Amino acid sequence: MMNDTFLGRETELRALEDAYRRDGFQMAVVYGRRRIGKTTLLREFCKDKKAVFFTAIKTTVPRNTELFARAALEELAPELSSSVFPSLDDLCAFLGEKCRDERIVVVIDEFPYYEKKSGVISSTLQKAIDEQWQFGNMFFIVCGSSISFMEDEVLSQKSPLFGRRTMQLRLEALDYRQVAAFLPSWSRQDQAVVYGVTGGVPKYLTLFDENRSLDENLIGLYFSKTGYLYEEADNLLSQEFRDVDVYGRIIEAVASGAGQLTEISDKSGISAQNVTHILNNLLETNIVTRLRAITEETNKKKTRYILSDDMLRFWYRFVPEAVGAIEIGRGDVFYERNVKPYLHEFMGGVFEKMCRYYTLLHGLAGDYLCAVTRVGTWWGANPVKKEETDIDVVGLDKRGREAVIGECKFKTELTDKKVYDTLAERSNLLHEHYRVVQYLLFSASEFSDWLREEAKKSERIRLIRLEDMYDG
C-alpha cells in the first residue's frame, strides 16, 4: 500500500497556502467529484495550522450544527466542550470572536449534506460573513462533492454566498505524470495502465500495492468479491443519481463506443429525449465529455460523447461480464482470459488522451515548428477513401493557421513507415483550415529503423516514446 506521503496536489496546496498568507478574511470554495482527493488536500493543508475541520453527514440540520459546534469547541475552547449553542447564528458569532485577531482555518466539508438545498445554512453564513467574519482573520473553506450543487447553490449568482469567495478550486483527476509518483518503481507501461484504469483518481491510486504486480493489483481490486473497485461504479452512481440502472445503461453504451445520440439511444434502449436529459447530468458531473472536431467546433453534427472517467470506461468494459466468475471466486481466471489480452486495446483511447496532454504541454513551451496553444482531435469524411477517418492529435496555431498532427500507438509491435504514411495522407484533410507543419508519432514500444532515419533527416517528423512522455 501507499505510505502517508502527500502526492499529486502540490499546485492546489500552494494556492491554498498563498490565500492563507493574505491578510484578513478569505473564503475558498473547493469542489470536485467523489474520491478526487478534496478531504486529503484540505487535511494536508490544515495539519500545521489552527483549524476547525467539520465534515457534514447525512442527517438533520440541527444534528450537523451540533457536530460543527463540537469540532469548533474541541479546537478553540476545549474547556467549554460541554457547552451547547442554541443556533448556528450563535456558533458563527463564537467563531467570529475567536477569529477576530488570530488566523484560524474553518472548514465545512461535504457542505451539500448540511445545506440540503434549503438555503438556510448559506443565508446564515452570508450574514456572519457580512456582519462579523469579514472584519476578522478567518480563512473559511466550503467543500463539496456534488459538482452541480456547488456550482448552482454556492458559486452561482442565486446563492446567498455569491461574491463572498476570494478563491475557488475545482479538483480534477491527476495527470499521467502525477500518477507515476504513486508507483515509482513500476515500468512506464504499467504506470500508464494504472492511470488508465483509475482515471487518475487519487483514492483509487492509494489502493495499489507497489510490492505486487499490476495483474495481482487489478485482480484484487476489480475482479474479487472483496475488491474495493468491484462495486465502485454502482456506488459512485448511487451517490449522484436516483435511477442507477438507467444511468448505468447510458454509460455502458458510451463505454462500448456509442458516441452519438442516436447510437447511445439504440444501444441502451432508452428514448433519445431521456438520453439527452441523462447526458446533460453526466456532463455536469464530469463523467461524460462532449467532443467536437477541433477545426469545426461550431458544427453540432460533429459531436461525440465519450467517458471522461476512464475508471468507469474500464469497469463497464470488463466487470459486468465478469460478475458470474467473480461471485464464485474465479475472477482471476476471467482476468487472464478476457481482460489481460485486451489491456493494450483498452489503453488506446487513454494513450491518445496522454498524448494530447503532452502535445499541449510542449506546445505551450514552444517545442514545435508552430506556436501550438490548443490541442484536440479531428474526425470526418476522407473523400479519397470514401470513409470516415480521424486524427488522434491535432495541435493548432490559430494565429498562424498552422498545425501539428499526431498518431498514437499503444502496442507492443514497432511503429513503422505505414503509420507515418497514413498520418501524412490524413494531413490533407485539414488543408482547408490549417497547414500541417509537423508530424508527431507516439509509441508505447519502439520505432522502426526507417522512421528513425527519416526523423534524423527532417525536423518535420518527431518520434516520441512513452518513456519520453514522462521524462521530457
Side-chain angles (χ1 to χ4, degrees):
M1 297 292 291
M2 283 295 305
N3 57 33
D4 293 330
T5 303
F6 182 75
L7 296 170
R9 293 293 184 198
E10 291 79 6
T11 300
E12 292 88 346
L13 188 60
R14 278 197 302 271
L16 290 170
E17 292 287 356
D18 288 344
Y20 179 80
R21 285 192 289 268
R22 298 186 199 121
D23 293 332
F25 174 79
Q26 301 290 324
M27 177 180 171
V29 177
V30 179
Y31 67 112
R33 56 152 286 183
R34 298 187 186 280
R35 321 285 198 261
I36 207 68
K38 302 179 298 298
T39 301
T40 301
L41 168 67
L42 293 177
R43 289 202 178 277
E44 177 70 17
F45 168 68
C46 290
K47 72 179 184 181
D48 58 350
K49 302 172 179 66
K50 180 168 282 192
V52 175
F53 202 110
F54 162 60
T55 301
I57 60 175
K58 291 181 178 179
T59 186
T60 63
V61 168
R63 176 58 175 159
N64 268 320
T65 300
E66 178 187 341
L67 295 172
F68 188 12
R70 186 180 300 172
L73 288 170
E74 286 177 357
E75 179 65 27
L76 304 179
E79 71 280 4
L80 302 175
S81 59
S82 60
S83 299
V84 176
F85 292 95
S87 68
L88 179 58
D89 289 281
D90 295 294
L91 173 56
C92 288
F94 167 80
L95 289 170
E97 185 65 27
K98 288 292 182 180
C99 299
R100 179 187 296 177
D101 301 312
E102 186 178 7
R103 191 54 149 179
I104 298 174
V105 181
V106 177
V107 178
I108 301 180
D109 196 7
E110 295 296 357
F111 182 69
Y113 290 158
Y114 196 5
E115 178 60 273
K116 291 182 174 289
K117 296 189 178 181
S118 67
V120 174
I121 304 303
S122 294
S123 296
T124 303
L125 293 172
Q126 175 223 324
K127 179 183 176 184
I129 293 169
D130 293 350
E131 296 182 359
Q132 187 179 12
W133 292 2
Q134 67 169 318
F135 305 111
N137 212 24
M138 180 192 295
F139 186 12
F140 180 46
I141 302 174
V142 174
C143 179
S145 299
S146 173
I147 293 174
S148 58
F149 181 94
M150 295 299 288
E151 291 184 341
D152 294 342
E153 307 296 332
V154 179
L155 294 172
S156 73
Q157 290 186 354
K158 70 180 182 181
S159 168
L161 293 172
F162 180 74
R164 275 74 182 174
R165 76 183 187 278
T166 55
M167 69 172 294
Q168 68 189 62
L169 282 175
R170 175 169 171 169
L171 266 62
E172 304 289 357
L174 301 178
D175 66 61
Y176 70 89
R177 298 190 306 174
Q178 292 172 315
V179 167
F182 285 77
L183 300 160
S185 69
W186 283 19
S187 71
R188 295 305 192 195
Q189 283 216 18
D190 284 355
Q191 289 173 347
V193 172
V194 171
Y195 169 68
V197 301
T198 63
V201 173
K203 173 61 181 178
Y204 306 150
L205 293 167
T206 64
L207 303 172
F208 278 74
D209 186 344
E210 194 173 13
N211 296 315
R212 303 176 71 196
S213 70
L214 172 64
D215 294 332
E216 289 172 328
N217 274 281
L218 293 181
I219 291 169
L221 291 172
Y222 281 98
F223 301 95
S224 165
K225 286 178 68 174
T226 58
Y228 182 93
L229 297 173
Y230 172 40
E231 297 180 337
E232 179 64 359
D234 288 340
N235 293 337
L236 198 62
L237 295 183
S238 66
Q239 291 171 344
E240 295 289 345
F241 312 111
R242 291 181 181 177
D243 301 324
V244 174
D245 291 341
V246 174
Y247 277 82
R249 283 158 59 189
I250 298 291
I251 293 172
E252 188 166 9
V254 177
S256 70
Q260 296 182 329
L261 186 62
T262 53
E263 293 176 328
I264 298 169
S265 177
D266 290 342
K267 280 203 172 186
S268 65
I270 299 170
S271 70
Q273 183 178 358
N274 286 336
V275 168
T276 300
H277 171 71
I278 292 171
L279 283 175
N280 286 334
N281 290 338
L282 292 172
L283 287 165
E284 282 187 0
T285 52
N286 207 31
I287 292 174
V288 165
T289 296
R290 182 191 290 115
L291 286 183
R292 290 197 171 102
I294 190 170
T295 60
E296 300 174 63
E297 292 183 322
T298 59
N299 184 353
K300 292 185 178 181
K301 293 182 179 180
K302 281 198 173 183
T303 297
R304 287 178 178 172
Y305 294 94
I306 65 166
L307 287 184
S308 46
D309 189 322
D310 285 315
M311 185 283 292
L312 287 178
R313 193 165 68 87
F314 178 81
W315 196 96
Y316 278 100
R317 167 80 183 271
F318 297 111
V319 174
E321 187 183 347
V323 168
I326 294 170
E327 289 298 318
I328 63 170
R330 302 307 300 273
D332 55 338
V333 175
F334 181 91
Y335 173 83
E336 291 293 337
R337 293 178 180 173
N338 300 287
V339 181
K340 187 174 181 178
Y342 302 99
L343 273 178
H344 277 76
E345 178 188 327
F346 164 79
M347 282 297 295
V350 176
F351 190 47
E352 290 174 15
K353 182 189 297 185
M354 293 168 61
C355 295
R356 286 191 284 270
Y357 180 88
Y358 176 93
T359 300
L360 180 59
L361 200 66
H362 285 261
L364 295 173
D367 292 342
Y368 302 126
L369 297 182
C370 62
V372 172
T373 57
R374 294 189 63 247
V375 175
T377 186
W378 184 93
W379 65 91
N382 186 332
V384 176
K385 293 190 172 182
K386 294 183 172 54
E387 63 183 15
E388 184 88 359
T389 191
D390 58 17
I391 303 174
D392 297 340
V393 178
V394 179
L396 300 182
D397 173 359
K398 299 197 78 171
R399 182 171 297 179
R401 309 301 294 175
E402 294 180 328
V404 301
I405 62 173
E407 183 76 8
C408 315
K409 297 296 181 184
F410 197 89
K411 295 182 178 180
T412 54
E413 62 261 28
L414 287 176
T415 300
D416 56 16
K417 181 177 183 295
K418 181 181 178 181
V419 176
Y420 166 74
D421 288 342
T422 299
L423 184 60
E425 177 200 344
R426 291 176 182 173
S427 69
N428 295 323
L429 302 174
L430 300 181
H431 70 87
E432 291 183 9
H433 306 281
Y434 293 88
R435 183 173 70 92
V436 175
V437 298
Q438 198 166 21
Y439 302 103
L440 312 178
L441 298 176
F442 296 89
S443 177
S445 56
E446 292 293 340
F447 297 97
S448 67
D449 291 339
W450 184 90
L451 270 178
R452 290 191 175 280
E453 288 301 316
E454 290 301 307
K456 289 178 183 178
K457 297 176 188 175
S458 172
E459 61 179 351
R460 282 172 53 84
I461 302 175
R462 184 163 177 175
L463 310 182
I464 304 157
R465 301 175 306 147
L466 179 62
E467 288 77 7
D468 302 327
M469 295 171 63
Y470 285 88
D471 302 331

